[in-house]
């Protein structure tokens, strides 16, 4: 997203000028902005004072910092889980592991070998 050419304090000053009674088209002409931009600023910064704007900016920077910290922590947790969850592999069998395997759960004989689909466990419980 493109950054504004006007600082937040300039925006607040322009909004304050509109509240004092200066016509909005004149403010937009002198500030070289469109009326749409002015009304977007009014919607965003409408009733903020300079102190409230400063507090809002501090909260935004703190949120950015916390999000970055959270993403770093979740990445490190993911790598820790991956390294601890790796189990040693069984030795390779002489038949290369192609022996028929028993069904992992009790299935009727007619359904063995059939593809039950992704949601078979949901359909079977109803």
């Amino acid at each position: 997203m493109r950054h504004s050419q006007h600082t937040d304090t300039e925006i607040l000053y322009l909004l304050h000028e509109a509240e004092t009674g200066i016509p909005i088209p004149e403010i937009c002409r002198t500030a070289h902005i469109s009326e749409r931009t002015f009304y977007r600023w009014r919607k965003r910064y409408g009733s903020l004072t300079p102190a409230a704007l400063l507090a809002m900016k501090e909260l935004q920077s703190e949120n950015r910092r916390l999000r970055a910290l959270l993403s770093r922590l979740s990445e490190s947790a993911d790598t820790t889980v991956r390294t601890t969850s790796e189990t040693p592999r069984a030795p390779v069998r002489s038949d290369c592991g192609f022996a028929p395997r028993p069904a992992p759960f009790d299935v009727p004989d007619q359904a063995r070998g059939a593809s039950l689909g992704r949601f078979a466990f949901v359909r079977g419980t109803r």
Side-chain angles (χ1 to χ4, degrees), residues 22-95:
I22 299 175
I24 293 173
E26 183 180 331
I27 294 171
C28 294
R29 233 185 351 268
T30 58
H32 304 289
I33 59 170
S34 67
E35 288 188 27
R36 178 183 171 130
T37 301
F38 179 84
Y39 287 114
R40 187 177 339 116
W41 287 347
R42 179 186 271 179
K43 183 179 177 184
R44 183 178 301 159
Y45 300 107
S47 62
L48 287 179
T49 62
L53 179 67
L54 180 63
M56 182 181 76
K57 292 295 178 182
E58 288 175 0
L59 286 173
Q60 287 175 346
S61 65
E62 183 181 2
N63 282 342
R64 264 194 287 339
R65 183 183 61 82
L66 290 173
R67 283 188 184 119
L69 180 64
L70 181 65
S71 68
R72 276 188 266 133
L73 285 174
S74 64
E75 286 174 4
S76 66
D78 288 344
T79 57
T80 304
V81 168
R82 279 190 223 128
T83 57
T84 57
S85 66
E86 292 177 1
T87 57
R89 294 180 179 237
V92 178
R93 298 185 337 200
S94 62
D95 61 352

Side-chain angles (χ1 to χ4, degrees), residues 95-107:
D95 61 352
C96 297
F98 290 112
R101 294 184 179 172
F105 49 88
D106 239 354
V107 193

